[in-house]
Amino acid sequence: LTLRRLADLLANPARAFLRLRLGVFFEADDPVGADQEPFAIDALENWQLQDELIQAQKAALEAGESRERAMQAQLARMARRGALPAGHFAELVQAQLAEPMDDLFARYTEQLALWPELRPDALLDHLPDDLPVGGDERLRLVDWLDGLRGDGGGQRARLLLDSGSLIANKRYRRDRLVAPWVAHLAAQLEGQPLTTVIVSKAGTVTLQPLNRASARAAWAALLQAWQTGLTRPLPLALRSGF
């Protein structure tokens, strides 16, 4: 198992069943024809471009370079490759893409100060002691955990930058926390506490450490859901469930 597969199952059980068991993939067609000139970008394109922008600025910070210059350089590259609308529309879109960055990286910098110690990626290799309920084999997790940092006093955290928004209409988007939560859970199966901090364009979320017993109980439930979800689609609509 990998963290991505488990998170995909929880995010959309029916889609995971179709993909993993039946090999069925539903992909949406591009609604914009090649001969049409867009004057704006849609939500998916906005997310993709802002993710590029965020990663460029993060790399600059890690290299000790200017975040602002990295942002402007990345915006210029986007314009040169034709990812933005033409003419003055490009300037409007560039301003929209850059608008949340100052606040986002101000909060990210605060977290870097709280967790100043950079740590290497950690290998996750976990094989449960017991068989899942109703199962005939043990399910092994093998994956890597990135974004790890320390506070200098032995405590560790996983610090993530999210290109989306974790808060909408003054409510947490818990459906967007599924993938970080699965990794957060897996990281503590061997009893080493971990705090996960996700900094997004709208809001910062902190997942507190779990004790080993709680983490293993939740992990066993997740493995049972995995086994059931591969025999039939689980009747779970994530956002409605929350």
Side-chain angles (χ1 to χ4, degrees):
L1 295 175
T2 63
L3 299 174
R4 174 67 178 271
R5 283 189 167 187
L6 289 168
D8 285 349
L9 174 79
L10 290 182
N12 194 323
R15 182 179 63 193
F17 173 79
L18 289 169
R19 288 181 175 180
L20 294 173
R21 290 304 302 271
L22 305 181
V24 175
F25 293 82
F26 293 102
E27 302 297 341
D29 294 330
D30 184 359
V32 179
D35 59 343
Q36 293 179 305
E37 181 67 35
F39 297 101
I41 55 177
D42 61 24
L44 177 59
E45 290 170 329
N46 184 82
W47 181 89
Q48 292 171 334
L49 293 175
Q50 283 197 324
D51 186 62
E52 286 186 33
L53 209 54
I54 288 171
Q55 297 310 318
Q57 294 172 90
K58 180 182 177 184
L61 283 177
E62 292 173 349
E65 300 172 353
S66 169
R67 176 187 67 82
E68 291 78 6
R69 282 199 294 270
M71 179 178 67
Q72 294 303 325
Q74 185 63 29
L75 287 170
R77 281 192 289 269
M78 292 174 180
R80 287 196 300 270
R81 73 169 190 254
L84 304 179
H88 293 295
F89 292 103
E91 298 176 6
L92 293 174
V93 171
Q94 285 179 321
Q96 292 171 358
L97 292 173
E99 190 275 330
M101 296 301 160
D102 286 347
D103 174 66
L104 171 70
F105 277 93
R107 288 183 283 113
Y108 182 67
T109 302
E110 290 176 359
Q111 293 297 327
L112 289 177
L114 293 175
W115 306 96
E117 180 185 291
L118 181 63
R119 295 193 177 187
D121 294 353
L123 173 65
L124 299 177
D125 189 347
H126 179 70
L127 188 64
D129 299 328
D130 302 317
L131 296 177
V133 177
D136 58 0
E137 63 179 346
R138 291 187 292 170
L139 298 171
R140 183 180 185 180
L141 169 74
V142 180
D143 211 328
W144 288 90
L145 199 66
D146 61 1
L148 296 177
R149 306 190 68 87
D151 65 354
Q155 301 299 313
R156 62 177 190 152
R158 186 175 187 227
L159 181 56
L160 303 175
L161 269 171
D162 191 294
S163 302
S165 298
L166 295 181
I167 296 176
N169 299 321
K170 299 183 179 180
R171 293 185 178 183
Y172 286 111
R173 288 284 309 277
R174 290 176 173 84
D175 55 301
R176 293 191 55 87
L177 296 173
V178 166
W181 178 80
V182 170
H184 180 75
L185 179 64
Q188 300 173 88
L189 293 173
E190 304 305 326
Q192 298 179 356
L194 176 82
T195 300
T196 298
V197 182
I198 311 107
V199 182
S200 83
K201 293 185 299 182
T204 298
V205 171
T206 300
L207 303 179
Q208 299 294 342
L210 299 169
N211 62 57
R212 187 182 187 189
S214 298
R216 290 198 164 205
W219 189 256
L222 183 55
L223 294 188
Q224 186 174 359
W226 169 267
Q227 289 193 316
T228 305
L230 292 188
T231 61
R232 58 182 174 84
L234 296 176
L236 171 66
L238 191 62
R239 294 180 67 178
S240 298
F242 277 126

